[in-house]
Amino acid sequence: MKKFLFLFLCMLAIPLFAVKVDLNSATFAELRTLPITEQQAKDIYDYRQYVAYFEDIYDLRKVSSVDQPTLEKLRPLIILTHYVETDDSVIRRAQIGYLLQRMDANEGSQEGMSDVWEDFLMTPQNANGMFFNDYLSLPNVSPVDAYAVMKRRAQGDTLIDQRDLKNSPGLSFYGYSNMKNYVYYKEPPIKDRIFVDYQLKYQSTPLEDDPMAMYKQAILRPTYGMVASSTPLPDAVVAAINHKNNSYWGFLHMDSYAPSVLNKVRIRYGNNIKAGILYDSPSGNEDIFKTGGQELLDNGKFYAGYENTVDFFGATGIKQYFGNYRVTYGEGLILDNTDYYTSRNTGYGFTKRILGITPDLSRTQEYSMKGLALELRKTWMDASFFYSRDKKDAIVYMADSVWADGTHHSHPLKNDDGTYQVLSYVTSTHGFDNDELTEAENYFDHELSVIDHTTYPNVYPWAVPYINLAPRENFLTETVTGGHLTLSPFVGTNFGFTTYTSVYDNTDFVIPKDADLKQLLIRDSYNYKYWKTPDSELSNLYSTKNGNYDRDYRRVVGFDWMSVIKNTSFQGEYAELSVNGKDTILGDDPKAVVLSSYTQFDNLYLLSLYRNYDLNFDNPYSRAFSEHQKLTDTVVEKYNYTMTNPLIGDMVYNNAQAQAERGLYFETRYRFNSYFTLGKTYVDIWERLSDHRKSVRFQGDLDYRPVYQISFRAKYKKQINRYDESADRAVSKTDEYTASVATFLTSRDYMSFEYRYNTVWGPPYLSITYPAVPVANNQANGSTQMTGDFVAVNYSHNFNDNLSVDGSVLYWNGHGISHWDWEDIEIDFMGQKGMKYWFTIQDQLAHNVFISFKYKYKEYQTLEEFVRQYNIAYPDNQNNYFQRVERVENSIRLQIDWKF
């Protein structure tokens, strides 16, 4: 009896020792343990998160679903600790911190877009007031998903909460997952207030191999004109040729340390009033503290804007921006003003475009818009107008004059009417001002003229004895006006018209015919043989004056469309560049078209895309789907060392346009079951129109998960160039095999092991097969197979909610094959053989201060080199053969974000 009484008393005492629930810190799951309904728990949680903390127990009566009996029932089970009032935006930032981290990591073509997405994460949009393009512009949301929500709203339904959104007919779970954090339903979770974001980014990134070789290319190279002879040039001439200052790299002291520094400030009031300013100091440019007012205005970026939805004959969305903005329509065929090229940019998934007018504080400089933009939106109509006036960099025709003192002076070539001649837009790899470039060119022009061809008769005269083409900063004054009108007769279907006109106040684009252009680009007539069929892409660049017309503008017109039928969307865009035809007649000018369809199921999607871009469709603001960027494989890229000025190579290395192609692309992803998933798998069959080379590229990716935490993955990639003529010398076949195993640990930790094996089959080129043997190019026809492999360990570790580290260790062997690797937010192309490791540390130092630090070490070998005259051996006693050249690189990236 005593034991029973003791046990009974202990049971009565259990509630006294039980852990009580703290209303000011409990999770939703902890609130659900209380004797209340799920709706009451949710209401209590939402009140604390978005209204106020509880000061005493009677504040529970402020929650509409909690009555007095419920309060009495909860009284012995809860406690209220002291709380510190926390900004509601800080709460939301903690909830979606993983998404914000991904936004901060976006660079390149999505860099400015990430700012827009981050704003909507912090201050979501009302799901019941958004327009079709608002849904469509969200990351990884397809037209079918956007149509599902808009159709439901058109039927008079109102979205109440996340569960209601999830149950929208036709909305995929993937679309819902990517949409839910960007929207709200009743009251905004974050009250309108002022937000300030400051970002500092410090980066020291070495140049890639091709741009570095371009800058190191010796300007003075008379050996290309040598006849076959065993007699080398005199030592004095060789010394002059190989002098360090005979390259841009040496003359402009590019071996000195020159990091890039970016400063960016964004201010906004809710999602309505926005402003920002950015100054990016790329490697070689002066930082913001040494910059004058005019340079800051020319190279800095800023904007001020207003966005809202007002009642003007129904709900009307308004966007107004002054300063720098981005414009994107349709498939990006007519207009998408970014400096960055993205291969296979379908506009779906991770190649998303934000349609319409958006503010722009990205590092885009060459194709940035600076002026005024206005957009009006209704459910049945979308209209936008824009005006921009800005200065652009260009490849300029140069003239050389000799002053009385015998010095050479380089200056832009001027027409009789006072305008200048330019060859092309250019986005320079390294920033130099015009005074520095002029000084280098004057020196090179003088050196190019000092060789005494009478004394050295084996050295042939130059075809171009001076720097006749050169990049110039802020040289081209461009005024752009344009607009877009979309009509939507019913939900999910729209038809749009787009046009823009670029007027050039002070310049003419001049493109000579093939023979003249070849002599203009290539310095020595000995190298004219390198001008090939693919170089027709150069001679088809746009001219503002030719034998048929003389104008000061470039105009592009076109239209786009989209229609969603059940679970399939059809879309496309057509464009024409005005040349000799009429703007009101289709088909009489260089044209381009993109057609695509997207079918979506719960565990499967099917994407088909057709593109056809005429060779002379030269639209500098086009960013449509393609396998390669414009001018790839032309003489400017493949034989850059023969150019009159190697800096012309930037026309290719930083070109953002699509190459003239015609082809079909198919892509899919299918989740068979919880074990097997066919990842992004595609096949592309296309023809390069400059030389009609036909190619095919395939990639397949299969993931097997016996348990969720372990993944086995196999990937295969194959590409064949010139598949229609197996005997052609341009045939090449590439195979890539990848196997990896990954484990997903607790606390979102991750580790993987990856092995890749590559083979490349192609014709035997002496520069690859026998790079240091002086023999004539008389090898028999045949084939050469190169192999390479790659092994990597990748990892991610979260020390706590605030501190994490990601990194990788890699080893590779190329044998002539170029390997590539994704490093958190950037892609890296490696040399012949080497190793590297990198890590990125991310930490939240305070509730509104975030820091990211990346360090990379890389050492590798380039191709073996032999310093000699072309096809002439040096004496054996001269050590001019380098079996391998090793490079060591150290780079860091530091980013600090202050958000308040």
Side-chain angles (χ1 to χ4, degrees), residues 45 92 138 177 181 318 340 402 426 567 578 636 699 715:
Y45 181 81
R92 184 163 179 83
L138 295 178
S177 300
N181 289 301
I318 298 176
Y340 301 97
V402 183
V426 68
N567 64 333
S578 296
V636 176
Q699 176 180 300
K715 181 188 293 186

Side-chain angles (χ1 to χ4, degrees), residues 525-629:
S525 57
Y526 178 80
N527 294 315
Y528 287 170
K529 61 187 178 184
Y530 294 123
W531 186 270
K532 306 287 186 181
T533 304
D535 298 312
S536 59
E537 197 167 19
L538 286 161
S539 55
N540 278 278
L541 294 175
Y542 179 76
S543 291
T544 55
K545 61 166 55 178
N546 58 28
N548 298 317
Y549 59 79
D550 186 351
R551 59 177 63 142
D552 63 351
Y553 68 88
R554 180 186 331 225
R555 177 176 297 132
V556 181
V557 297
F559 53 90
D560 62 271
W561 64 93
M562 173 182 288
S563 183
V564 181
I565 303 175
K566 295 184 179 180
N567 64 333
T568 300
S569 67
F570 302 91
Q571 50 276 321
E573 188 169 15
Y574 176 86
E576 284 192 8
L577 171 67
S578 296
V579 179
N580 295 318
K582 295 182 179 180
D583 294 343
T584 56
I585 299 178
L586 297 179
D588 60 350
D589 274 323
K591 56 190 176 297
V593 64
V594 178
L595 305 172
S596 67
S597 68
Y598 182 86
T599 302
Q600 175 178 290
F601 301 93
D602 289 339
N603 296 309
L604 169 71
Y605 74 78
L606 301 169
L607 169 64
S608 302
L609 185 145
Y610 169 80
R611 81 277 193 186
N612 189 349
Y613 315 137
D614 284 354
L615 187 60
N616 48 357
F617 179 77
D618 182 21
N619 175 13
Y621 288 98
S622 176
R623 304 293 178 266
F625 179 100
S626 72
E627 280 286 348
H628 297 292
Q629 59 201 121

Side-chain angles (χ1 to χ4, degrees), residues 521 535 538 634-640 643 648-649 652-653:
L521 294 174
D535 298 312
L538 286 161
T634 61
V635 66
V636 176
E637 180 196 27
K638 297 185 69 173
Y639 304 103
N640 178 256
M643 296 292 98
I648 300 173
V652 185
Y653 303 141

Side-chain angles (χ1 to χ4, degrees), residues 763-885:
Y765 290 95
L766 290 179
S767 59
I768 297 176
T769 313
Y770 299 109
V773 178
V775 295
N777 188 9
N778 57 5
Q779 280 189 290
N781 290 332
S783 62
T784 299
Q785 179 161 296
M786 298 173 288
T787 63
D789 53 2
F790 162 109
V791 61
V793 175
N794 307 290
Y795 60 89
S796 176
H797 176 58
N798 295 274
F799 297 96
N800 50 50
D801 291 339
N802 300 326
L803 178 63
S804 65
V805 61
D806 301 277
S808 182
V809 180
L810 301 90
Y811 294 86
W812 71 91
N813 199 340
H815 301 296
I817 292 177
S818 176
H819 286 287
W820 57 271
D821 171 53
W822 273 107
E823 298 176 4
D824 59 1
I825 61 174
E826 56 192 356
I827 191 170
D828 182 32
F829 292 93
M830 289 91 81
Q832 295 296 296
K833 179 181 180 181
M835 67 83 62
K836 72 172 183 177
Y837 63 85
W838 63 269
F839 60 84
T840 301
I841 299 175
Q842 297 182 345
D843 192 15
Q844 181 175 347
L845 301 180
H847 72 275
N848 61 350
V849 179
F850 306 82
I851 186 171
S852 173
F853 174 80
K854 177 181 178 179
Y855 172 76
K856 180 171 74 172
Y857 174 85
K858 179 179 176 182
E859 63 177 43
Y860 63 98
Q861 302 169 7
T862 63
L863 283 170
E864 57 185 357
E865 296 187 3
F866 196 88
V867 181
R868 58 184 171 84
Q869 300 173 45
Y870 177 76
N871 210 30
I872 298 175
Y874 266 79
D876 293 337
N877 59 353
Q878 295 191 26
N879 185 20
N880 295 97
Y881 174 61
F882 297 87
Q883 191 173 34
R884 63 185 184 184
V885 177

